Amino acid sequence: MTLAAKTVAEARPAGAEQDDAALRQAQADRLLTAWRTPTGWRYWSAVNNSEVGAWYTATAFLFMLFAGVLGLLIRAQLLTPDSDFLSAELYNQVFTLHGTVMMFLFAVPLFEAFSIAILPEMLAARDLPFPRLSAFGYWSFVIGGIFVCGSIFFGQAPAGGWFMYPPLTTDYSPTEYGADIWLLGLSFIEIASIAAAVELIVGVLKCRPPGMRLNLIPLYAWYVLVVAGMILFAFPPLIAGDILLEVERAFDWPFFDPARGGDPLLWQHLFWIFGHPEVYIIFLPAIALAAMIVPTAAQRPIVGYSWIVLAAVGTGFLSFGLWVHHMYATGLPGISLGFFSAASTAVAIPTGVQIFAFIATLLAGRVILSVPMLFVSGALAIFVLGGLTGVMVALAPFDWQAHDSYFVVAHLHYTLLGGMLFPVFAGIYYYFPFVTGKKLSERLGRRAFWIMFVGFNVTYFPMHLAGLRGMPRRVFTYPGDLGWDWLNLIASVGAFVFAAGILIVVWDVLRPKGRQPWSERNPWNAGTMEWLQEMPDKPWGVRTVPLIRSRYPLWQQENFVRDVDEGRFYLADAEELKRETMVTSVLDADPIQCLRVPGPTFKTLIAAVFTGGAFVFATFHWYIMAGVSGVLAIAMILNWLWTGTAMVPEKPTKDVGLGLTLPTYGSGPASVGWWAMFITMLGDLTAFGGLIFGYVFFWTIHPDFPPPPYGAPGIGWLSFGLAALVAAWGLTLAARIVNGRGRRGAMRAALIAAAVLGVAGGLALLAAPWTAGLVPTAHAYPAIVWVLVVWVAIHTAVGVLMQLYCLAGSLAGRLTPDYDIDIWNVALFWHFLLVTAVIAYAFVGLFPLAT
Amino acid sequence: MTAPLVIAAALVLAACEGPQSALDPAGYGAGRVADLFWIMAAASAVIWLLVIGAAVYAMRVRPGRHGVKATRMLIVGGGIVFPTVALGGLLVYGLALMEDLRAPAAGGLRIAVTGEQWWWRVRYWPEGADRPVELANEIRLPVGRRVELVLDSVDVIHSLWIPPLGGKVDMIPGRVNRMVVEPTETGTFRGVCAEYCGTSHALMAFGVEIMEPDAFAAWLEHQAAPAAPPEAAPARDGRDAFLAAGCGACHTVRGTPADGRIGPDLTHVGSRLTLGAGILPNEVDAFVRWVGATEEIKPGVHMPSFGALGEADLAAIAVYLESLQ
């Protein structure tokens, strides 16, 4: 047991030394000064999780309302047969954008947005470990989202369906820029999503309060961990697919063109390897909300905590083995269909465990049927039905009938709205006082629920029948003599009823509440720590970082609220007026470090604008402007890193209270930055895996590989390049080690040599397909070889930039033998780069020799 | 007591009928899947009632505390044991059914269907034929015989779906897929493209006719023959106008100089169930509208509108095409 662990194990809330009210007031004042939210126009420079989380959530809701209006346009068009309310072109843009916005700008980001707002308080942390990264992610999301949504007002929205199957999105694109807007606009947002996921994972793993062992964390945080992990491995294959599809559109590299060795099915695999986990990425956070609301409603701890955690993790794993059930009709062999049918039905089991654990909790407790619980109940009724039709479509023979019909439209809305929208509305009512300090109306809430519930079922239930009576999805019109007319009429009427219910909630949220009294503290009598907050809220997140011994400290730890209010735990003061939070160990939450987090800045907003510019300009093929914007973005990000991260503290350690002294700086695995780099690079490696999947896929569809007349690039240049990269990696590692030993000169020399070798290695890799005369537009094989090589080369360029950044840091005295976060993280980047380069070498260089 | 049930049953059945309904099967595969659906639907209804019943019981009927031990049994029993058994059984049944539905047809008639934006090129190879009989936007099949359809696409991904006969199979550029159907009842049905394929995806359908084997053989023999030359005046003028307007650059009418391969074969277009790939009735007036305002009827269609030909020529062409029985 470490000293810190021992101290924590024996610690008790502070006694007499905190009894002085004047002292406590002085502490609180200093904390408020450190955490003060900027005012006026500078408010938008805030980076604190409470602000960014609230903006993020509100923005995601605005996108939801926009997509909801698109949904109403769809229902208005289908109200009657042979309708000419919308033209075919516009209708196809409307339904594509409806799905795209709901999925990418609402369902996935909402979870991250909301978690940013709530997770730190739930874990009694003062902020997330990388507040500026959250802000950067938020601004990227806003810019990308407006870009994607705005396209429809120019008649240039994507029109390929939200899963964008080529060749419809390559050679036969219905709108000129639509597919590019989809690919680039969403890639930009996906990167922001991954950034948020990294931050949330590190937040759960490293920023818990002392004593909160992994088996004590709130269920919501478990779900955050599972879902963020899924984002980390599910989004990268889509990004790989986006890269291939955009490169085909922009530069005519034929990955999906069967005439030149490509295959449209590759996109479907990459898309659904993302797409099916995505369903659970959307669904599990909603379950997480229910896992917080249900125990509160039942006024007792959850029954089956371990079962729920296992089920959530199990769902996460299984969800990566289901993707082919979106492709049952593509003519795959029976063995694949059997395997994926089995996995698809099996996922019902962990889902069932979670639902039954909630019912068990309700049975074991005394239920208060509040508005949040009402929405959870409605969600249950809807989602269970969606789950049951899900089992039906998991069976290939039934799916061959249901696939791409309105039955699937009904099924997916039952699962997504029952499994996401209704729980989210429960969350709105439950957490509204947490975010704003005011309660929503019980009366309006009940009314809204029943209107939404009835409207929902009237809208979507008839679609099951319409689908089985032969109505395909994505049709802008239909004939009146097939018996679909009255089903669609009912559905359309229901949609407007449903929308009326949502409008009531919108009104309840927006109605002026100036005269309404502040909500009482902990209005639902919940047991978890986010409800420690005062009404109205203070910006410090939590008055003091408490000791945790139970899953529901507000219910299970004596005098807990009083002790927190009186600052009787850790970090009750901000002597240096700096923003501080605790870093603890992954498993047992033993204190490791007092982390200083950065405060307000506009740099993240500016960086997001330039990054957005790079993507937006590229959409219109204005590559020079895109390049300039990209360079400015990199410069801005470097400036942000240089001035806001890895700062040398004024003192090496600090007394955080209760007899515990912690370092103010940590590097390597002890630092949150190292973990973030590690997790990010896992995602990066997964994206590379997506490209390798493409390479192997081409091997499986071409009887001869490399497909004649194209020859392999040979291993000469590749071997030289790999050797140079290995040497650069070794020198980077050596630089880290010698720096730690205080030999700064040797470290600088090693970095210079490593950078030179890195450049040489990257260029040598590019030389391999170049000298072999491989033309990427000729065939899918040279194209995929080029993509792999360029991927490694770009990563090498980033790696060299990082080496130079460390060199500059060393020269400027901000990277020293004692304060060496940057070189640790850069060395870690190079570990992953080395793995990437070796894999690329094996596939591009060695694989053709073996075939 | 039985009367309302009979009425309810009749209503449900009526709600499932239709020429494009998977719940009104006319083929072996669709019949098996419809049975499977009803069984799953009934089981789902029971499960849904039990789960929701348990929740309502916990929240409204007996909101008081129950023993935690008993409730844990609910998690294990309801969450693990029951679904494992039920899903295991369903899966075994489903996989066996899958093999049954995909078992190949025994030789004989072969039909190839190609999806094109937004119509269907259909080729029949009668037994022993060395050249296909090409037609478009219509599939006719003999009743009681398992037939294989060979599917591909020339542009984007389409999906061939005839709900009363069975499930759908995608038509993917660069790949060849197979689909097996086995009609069990005669009648007229409708098929559609199920995979979104661009602007007029909604307007890509086709007629399906299940015939007695003799009638089918006679029909196919007739389709193989060239078009009969028009006898009366308007049709003859129509043919001349058709050829003069250059329609033959894209369309074939066997027995005339028109031998284009881009659009649908029109040799017996007048005999078909529908016009414009399942979207218009096969009538002279519909031909006039179709040829004169193609883009208006089917947005994005590759065929240009020939409204500039003038009413007289359009009317004559329509009569001629309609006469191609």
Side-chain angles (χ1 to χ4, degrees):
Chain A
M1 193 185 268
T2 64
L3 182 64
K6 200 161 148 44
T7 320
V8 168
E10 292 164 0
R12 296 285 172 274
E17 66 271 28
Q18 279 291 116
D19 285 352
D20 179 0
L23 169 79
R24 294 205 301 260
Q25 188 57 47
Q27 291 174 340
D29 289 344
R30 281 191 289 272
L31 275 171
L32 285 179
T33 309
W35 291 92
R36 178 170 296 130
T37 307
T39 52
W41 64 277
R42 291 193 168 273
Y43 173 70
W44 301 103
S45 69
V47 298
N48 182 239
N49 77 290
S50 300
E51 273 69 40
V52 173
W55 302 340
Y56 218 143
T57 307
T59 310
F61 266 99
L62 285 178
F63 286 134
M64 185 274 276
L65 293 176
F66 173 74
V69 170
L70 296 178
L72 289 177
L73 291 177
I74 293 174
R75 286 317 320 167
Q77 169 81 356
L78 299 180
L79 184 75
T80 55
D82 302 319
S83 161
D84 55 4
F85 174 64
L86 299 177
S87 70
E89 283 99 358
L90 187 57
Y91 181 88
N92 294 336
Q93 294 181 38
V94 166
F95 81 71
T96 300
L97 208 54
H98 168 75
T100 301
V101 173
M102 283 293 190
M103 289 292 189
F104 291 98
L105 299 181
F106 172 60
V108 174
L110 183 76
F111 147 71
E112 298 188 319
F114 200 60
S115 299
I116 288 172
I118 196 172
L119 185 73
E121 271 81 354
M122 204 173 256
L123 298 177
R126 290 239 166 82
D127 205 333
L128 284 166
F130 314 106
R132 291 185 174 180
L133 185 62
S134 316
F136 176 73
Y138 169 70
W139 292 116
S140 299
F141 170 68
V142 173
I143 294 165
I146 291 174
F147 178 55
V148 171
C149 291
S151 59
I152 195 157
F153 300 108
F154 301 90
Q156 280 298 334
W162 82 273
F163 30 84
M164 297 298 278
Y165 283 177
L168 183 61
T169 49
T170 50
D171 300 346
Y172 301 88
S173 207
T175 52
E176 192 182 351
Y177 293 114
D180 302 308
I181 289 169
W182 192 97
L183 290 163
L184 290 167
L186 293 180
S187 293
F188 179 41
I189 292 168
E190 284 148 18
I191 291 166
S193 282
I194 292 174
V198 169
E199 161 138 88
L200 291 170
I201 293 173
V202 178
V204 174
L205 291 179
K206 300 294 293 177
C207 296
R208 305 202 302 275
M212 187 189 267
R213 300 195 309 272
L214 217 44
N215 64 336
L216 294 184
I217 69 178
L219 280 173
Y220 189 90
W222 265 114
Y223 279 98
V224 167
L225 206 53
V226 171
V227 173
M230 289 167 70
I231 289 176
L232 191 69
F233 293 108
F235 273 64
L238 177 62
I239 291 177
D242 287 352
I243 291 171
L244 299 184
L245 191 48
E246 182 56 30
V247 168
E248 170 155 353
R249 283 183 57 83
F251 308 117
D252 195 31
W253 295 18
F255 302 105
F256 307 110
D257 177 5
R260 287 178 287 165
D263 189 342
L265 274 194
L266 173 60
W267 169 262
Q268 297 194 16
H269 282 290
L270 289 171
F271 185 87
W272 290 116
I273 289 172
F274 146 78
H276 207 81
E278 197 229 9
V279 172
Y280 291 89
I281 288 170
I282 291 168
F283 163 64
L284 288 178
I287 288 280
L289 283 172
M292 302 311 281
I293 294 170
V294 165
T296 303
Q299 289 291 297
R300 58 151 293 129
I302 196 101
V303 176
Y305 178 95
S306 320
W307 283 105
I308 293 178
V309 172
L310 278 176
V313 174
T315 310
F317 273 104
L318 273 176
S319 72
F320 282 86
L322 313 179
W323 82 87
V324 166
H325 75 209
H326 297 269
M327 301 167 62
Y328 281 159
T330 57
L332 293 172
I335 183 90
S336 312
L337 299 192
F339 173 82
F340 284 98
S341 273
S344 304
T345 46
V347 81
I349 293 173
T351 310
V353 167
Q354 294 167 75
I355 286 171
F356 279 102
F358 295 155
I359 294 177
T361 308
L362 293 174
L363 275 170
R366 186 176 293 278
V367 180
I368 302 166
L369 197 52
S370 55
V371 173
M373 195 55 218
L374 200 56
F375 273 100
V376 169
S377 316
L380 182 74
I382 293 168
F383 178 76
V384 169
L385 205 154
L388 289 164
T389 54
V391 169
M392 296 182 188
V393 292
L395 281 187
F398 180 71
D399 185 67
W400 291 330
Q401 284 285 19
H403 180 69
D404 273 337
S405 79
Y406 259 82
F407 187 88
V408 165
V409 176
H411 159 71
L412 76 90
H413 284 90
Y414 265 81
T415 50
L416 290 175
L417 276 70
M420 191 271 175
L421 193 81
F422 275 79
V424 161
F425 274 68
I428 294 177
Y429 273 86
Y430 187 70
Y431 279 115
F432 198 76
F434 170 82
V435 176
T436 66
K438 301 283 175 89
K439 268 182 147 173
L440 290 174
S441 157
E442 174 89 12
R443 189 178 53 88
L444 288 175
R446 286 186 190 276
R447 197 167 291 173
F449 167 76
W450 285 109
I451 293 173
M452 282 173 65
F453 186 76
V454 170
F456 171 86
N457 284 292
V458 172
T459 309
Y460 293 104
F461 198 81
M463 291 184 190
H464 292 108
L465 189 54
L468 290 179
R469 294 182 78 185
M471 183 167 171
R473 71 196 287 194
R474 300 174 165 182
V475 289
F476 72 91
T477 187
Y478 58 92
D481 55 358
L482 297 173
W484 307 340
D485 43 351
W486 57 275
L487 292 168
N488 279 289
L489 180 68
I490 295 171
S492 292
V493 171
F496 284 90
V497 175
F498 187 36
I502 290 177
L503 268 186
I504 293 178
V505 179
V506 170
W507 163 245
D508 199 6
V509 167
L510 294 182
R511 72 189 160 82
K513 298 183 190 64
R515 292 199 191 160
Q516 188 178 324
W518 293 104
S519 161
E520 67 271 33
R521 203 171 175 191
N522 193 4
W524 314 103
N525 190 27
T528 42
M529 283 188 291
E530 69 274 24
W531 295 107
L532 278 172
Q533 80 165 29
E534 295 162 50
M535 306 284 176
D537 191 20
K538 299 273 201 317
W540 56 40
V542 65
R543 172 68 181 82
T544 171
V545 179
L547 275 164
I548 296 305
R549 312 277 189 220
S550 63
R551 287 179 187 154
Y552 297 89
L554 271 64
W555 289 343
Q556 295 169 333
Q557 283 176 234
E558 220 175 320
N559 294 328
F560 186 73
V561 177
R562 193 204 68 193
D563 287 345
V564 171
D565 284 352
E566 296 180 353
R568 295 178 186 276
F569 295 105
Y570 300 102
L571 287 178
D573 201 348
E575 295 92 343
E576 304 88 4
L577 298 181
K578 288 189 187 300
R579 295 185 170 202
E580 293 168 334
T581 192
M582 293 269 258
V583 175
T584 53
S585 66
V586 171
L587 293 179
D588 292 331
D590 296 327
I592 293 178
Q593 186 196 342
C594 168
L595 178 71
R596 265 80 184 267
V597 293
T601 180
F602 278 111
K603 287 175 186 171
T604 49
L605 171 55
I606 298 167
V609 168
F610 285 132
T611 313
F615 281 93
V616 172
F617 292 135
T619 305
F620 303 104
H621 301 188
W622 300 335
Y623 293 115
I624 294 172
M625 287 175 74
V628 170
S629 196
V631 169
L632 288 172
I634 291 170
M636 201 63 225
I637 290 170
L638 286 174
N639 176 277
W640 151 24
L641 294 174
W642 185 268
T643 55
T645 63
M647 306 309 284
V648 174
E650 79 289 351
K651 57 183 172 189
T653 59
K654 162 172 177 137
D655 175 11
V656 295
L658 303 191
L660 186 66
T661 299
L662 289 179
T664 50
Y665 191 98
S667 56
S671 77
V672 286
W674 186 91
W675 282 83
M677 176 64 83
F678 186 87
I679 294 166
T680 306
M681 293 314 292
L682 277 182
D684 182 82
L685 200 56
T686 309
F688 182 64
L691 299 177
I692 292 288
F693 180 94
Y695 185 92
V696 175
F697 185 86
F698 288 131
W699 169 63
T700 63
I701 63 167
H702 291 291
D704 296 313
F705 197 84
Y710 307 97
I715 58 167
W717 279 110
L718 289 172
S719 301
F720 175 73
L722 184 68
L725 290 182
V726 169
W729 162 78
L731 284 164
T732 310
L733 194 60
R736 191 200 86 200
I737 293 167
V738 297
N739 178 60
R741 292 182 186 155
R743 294 168 56 197
R744 298 185 191 206
M747 179 248 198
R748 291 168 191 164
L751 280 178
I752 292 168
V756 171
L757 280 165
V759 171
L763 290 175
L765 290 182
L766 293 174
W770 180 265
T771 53
L774 289 175
V775 180
T777 51
H779 188 273
Y781 168 73
I784 194 80
V785 166
W786 269 108
V787 160
L788 292 176
V789 169
V790 168
W791 177 271
V792 180
I794 289 176
H795 278 68
T796 307
V798 174
V800 169
L801 192 64
M802 288 181 172
Q803 289 163 338
L804 298 177
Y805 180 84
C806 286
L807 184 65
S810 178
L811 292 170
R814 66 189 302 284
L815 172 60
T816 70
D818 291 326
Y819 298 110
D820 56 351
I821 288 181
D822 289 335
I823 186 70
W824 269 92
N825 293 353
V826 169
L828 181 60
F829 177 91
W830 273 87
H831 291 325
F832 279 91
L833 175 52
L834 182 73
V835 173
T836 305
V838 168
I839 293 172
Y841 179 78
F843 278 96
V844 175
L846 301 181
F847 192 78
L849 301 179
T851 53
Chain B
M1 193 57 207
T2 49
L5 277 181
V6 171
I7 293 171
L11 276 176
V12 169
L13 285 179
C16 298
E17 279 175 2
Q20 199 173 321
S21 175
L23 298 178
D24 189 6
Y28 174 73
R32 293 288 307 272
V33 172
D35 292 346
L36 175 67
F37 167 72
W38 287 117
I39 294 166
M40 292 193 299
S44 296
V46 172
I47 294 170
W48 188 86
L49 286 172
L50 286 175
V51 175
I52 302 310
V56 170
Y57 176 82
M59 286 187 286
R60 300 307 291 263
V61 183
R62 291 267 318 273
R65 297 179 196 280
H66 296 70
V68 175
K69 270 227 172 87
T71 61
R72 279 189 205 281
M73 294 295 292
L74 187 66
I75 302 178
V76 177
I80 297 177
V81 179
F82 171 74
T84 307
V85 173
L87 293 174
L90 188 62
L91 190 65
V92 170
Y93 179 80
L95 294 184
L97 179 60
M98 188 173 85
E99 289 311 306
D100 187 14
L101 298 188
R102 301 220 305 186
L109 182 63
R110 197 153 55 90
I111 305 171
V113 186
T114 303
E116 308 194 14
Q117 278 180 328
W118 293 278
W119 62 284
W120 314 82
R121 191 187 295 273
V122 184
R123 277 147 296 161
Y124 280 74
W125 271 272
E127 271 187 90
D130 57 349
R131 277 182 47 195
V133 181
E134 180 161 326
L135 49 154
N137 300 328
E138 175 165 294
I139 294 177
R140 296 195 185 217
L141 299 169
V143 70
R145 196 165 151 196
R146 196 168 258 241
V147 179
E148 187 172 78
L149 305 180
V150 180
L151 310 177
D152 64 359
S153 164
V154 296
D155 40 42
V156 303
I157 301 174
H158 303 278
S159 190
L160 185 91
W161 188 26
I162 311 169
L165 296 188
K168 59 188 72 65
V169 174
D170 290 350
M171 312 165 104
I172 302 170
R175 288 179 172 250
V176 175
N177 275 337
R178 279 157 216 289
M179 173 178 182
V180 178
V181 288
E182 189 178 337
T184 52
E185 285 173 33
T186 57
T188 305
F189 305 95
R190 189 167 185 268
V192 283
C193 175
E195 180 69 58
Y196 173 62
C197 55
T199 309
S200 279
H201 161 61
L203 302 177
M204 184 170 170
F206 57 99
V208 178
E209 182 87 15
I210 309 302
M211 311 168 86
E212 293 297 343
D214 294 346
F216 172 78
W219 169 81
L220 186 54
E221 198 176 329
H222 175 70
Q223 292 291 322
E231 285 161 13
R236 217 176 308 160
D237 296 346
R239 178 193 58 190
D240 297 344
F242 178 87
L243 294 173
C247 303
C250 294
H251 295 286
T252 294
V253 178
R254 276 174 270 133
T256 77
D259 58 356
R261 301 274 307 134
I262 295 169
D265 183 298
L266 300 179
T267 308
H268 297 285
V269 65
S271 74
R272 289 179 197 154
L273 296 164
T274 63
L275 175 59
I279 57 173
L280 293 175
N282 196 331
E283 297 162 357
V284 173
D285 289 352
F287 273 107
V288 172
R289 282 176 55 211
W290 174 251
V291 179
T294 327
E295 167 68 28
E296 215 169 286
I297 297 170
K298 189 177 271 196
V301 68
H302 295 315
M303 174 171 157
S305 304
F306 282 85
L309 286 179
E311 272 178 42
D313 275 357
L314 278 180
I317 288 174
V319 170
Y320 167 63
L321 293 173
E322 169 61 22
S323 79
L324 292 173
Q325 291 290 327

